[in-house]
Amino acid sequence: MANLKEIRNRISSVSSTMQITSAMKMVSAAKLKKAQDAITAMRPYADKLTELLQSLSATLDADTGSQYSEVRDVKNVLIVSISSNRGLAGAFNSNIIKHTQHLIDNVHTGKNVSVIAIGKKINDAFTKKGIVAGNHSELYDDLTFDNVATIAEMLMEKFVTGEFDKIEIVYNKFKNAATQIVMTEQFLPIVPIEGAVVVNADYVFEPSKLEIVEQLIPKSLKTQLYKGIRDSFASEHGARMTAMHKATDNATELRDQLKLTYNKARQASITNEILEIVGGAEALNN
């Protein structure tokens, strides 16, 4: 059994750790509320924009289709993986890294796959593999639609010029503070979703349908990428809050166990001292 000083030091260390994890939990909870409100407010707009785009694209002739809808023989694939810049968020980052690796090894086998990293953790994981085509970890310093739109425009240009034949987005979708779902969405080319029901809405197009498509598609793609990053941002704070909550509970349990061990060791020490005194007194009397 460890001596009393060692146990006291461990109790002090665990108590300090518990204070840190508790503070991090409260900070993440505060940030989560703002991030959750942002993605909750944005989803209906993004979903409706996607619905309009699908309905509009379904009525276009092949000759008037967008350059972003061109389906080519897939040889070069670009995966936009969205992680966080910091750790201590449970399996949040590792799930993205594992899923991205799964896509490379099992889904896009035999193809030239590159990764654009949004977040330091995904960049660190794949830089050593030599497949990172770009790193935009600084985006979290000022997460705005305009800054995301710049990245989306770069991705669209890479597809139009033929540098990549397919672009996918991998991110954590926010469900609640304790649950994040790893999502893979096709960014380009734009193709109808299999099994999706096209809404037969009677839209009046002004100006022409083609002109609207040319403006709507870039807007929709920028919104899709922004939604994915916003989803990931909210998921990060939810995952970190949950992880720090569990860490705080574990630290509390460990501290209580150490206190119990300390009290038992202290009681045993006192009992031994009493026995030694009583034994000495008996020896003197005899």
Side-chain angles (χ1 to χ4, degrees):
M1 181 179 292
N3 61 45
L4 295 178
K5 183 178 180 180
E6 290 177 348
I7 298 176
R8 281 199 302 269
N9 290 338
R10 290 190 64 189
I11 291 174
S12 177
S13 177
V14 171
S15 297
S16 299
T17 301
M18 187 175 65
Q19 291 177 352
I20 295 172
T21 56
S22 180
M24 292 183 67
K25 171 191 170 183
M26 290 187 289
V27 170
S28 292
K31 291 183 178 180
L32 172 62
K33 181 63 171 64
K34 184 177 179 180
Q36 183 177 355
D37 290 344
I39 188 59
T40 302
M42 182 183 179
R43 273 180 184 163
Y45 170 78
D47 292 342
K48 187 62 178 178
L49 190 61
T50 301
E51 176 190 324
L52 286 171
L53 180 61
Q54 290 174 350
S55 299
L56 204 55
S57 299
T59 61
L60 288 175
D61 297 330
D63 295 337
T64 59
S66 169
Q67 57 185 342
Y68 302 114
S69 302
E70 180 185 356
V71 179
R72 303 188 289 258
D73 183 24
V74 178
K75 296 180 180 178
N76 300 306
V77 179
L78 179 63
I79 301 176
V80 182
S81 291
I82 306 171
S83 69
S84 67
N85 286 341
R86 298 186 298 137
L88 298 178
F92 174 81
N93 290 307
S94 61
N95 285 341
I96 290 294
I97 294 171
K98 289 177 182 177
H99 190 71
T100 302
Q101 190 63 52
H102 169 75
L103 292 176
I104 296 172
D105 295 338
N106 301 296
V107 179
H108 301 306
T109 307
K111 300 179 178 65
N112 297 321
V113 182
S114 299
V115 173
I116 282 188
I118 299 179
K120 291 180 180 178
K121 294 302 179 180
I122 196 73
N123 181 64
D124 293 344
F126 287 96
T127 295
K128 64 184 71 174
K129 300 179 184 293
I131 61 174
V132 175
N135 177 26
H136 299 278
S137 303
E138 75 286 348
L139 185 64
Y140 290 114
D141 297 334
D142 186 18
L143 184 53
T144 63
F145 180 81
D146 290 339
N147 290 336
V148 174
T150 302
I151 299 175
E153 289 171 356
M154 177 267 295
L155 295 176
M156 287 184 274
E157 182 181 356
K158 287 181 178 294
F159 177 79
V160 171
T161 58
E163 184 176 349
F164 294 101
D165 305 309
K166 187 175 184 180
I167 301 177
E168 294 179 334
I169 303 174
V170 177
Y171 67 97
N172 278 295
K173 181 179 180 181
F174 178 81
K175 184 176 181 181
N176 54 53
T179 306
Q180 300 82 39
I181 305 171
V182 178
M183 300 291 293
T184 302
E185 291 182 358
Q186 182 162 315
F187 187 70
L188 287 168
I190 299 173
V191 293
I193 301 176
E194 295 182 4
V197 178
V198 177
V199 180
N200 295 319
D202 186 16
Y203 294 117
V204 177
F205 301 103
E206 179 65 33
S208 69
K209 188 182 298 185
L210 182 58
E211 290 181 61
I212 293 176
V213 167
E214 290 176 349
Q215 296 181 22
L216 185 61
I217 288 180
K219 178 75 171 179
S220 176
L221 291 172
K222 293 173 184 177
T223 302
Q224 180 184 0
L225 181 59
Y226 185 58
K227 180 179 73 71
I229 296 175
R230 271 291 177 188
D231 249 319
S232 179
F233 189 63
S235 298
E236 175 193 350
H237 292 302
R240 183 170 292 111
M241 186 188 75
T242 302
M244 291 302 99
H245 175 73
K246 292 180 180 179
T248 301
D249 289 346
N250 291 337
T252 301
E253 182 180 352
L254 179 58
R255 184 193 60 179
D256 293 342
Q257 291 177 352
L258 287 172
K259 284 185 176 180
L260 181 61
T261 302
Y262 175 80
N263 290 333
K264 288 181 178 180
R266 183 169 176 271
Q267 185 63 47
S269 176
I270 294 173
T271 302
N272 288 334
E273 290 178 2
I274 292 175
L275 290 176
E276 289 176 359
I277 292 171
V278 171
E282 288 293 333
L284 291 175
N285 291 332
N286 293 334

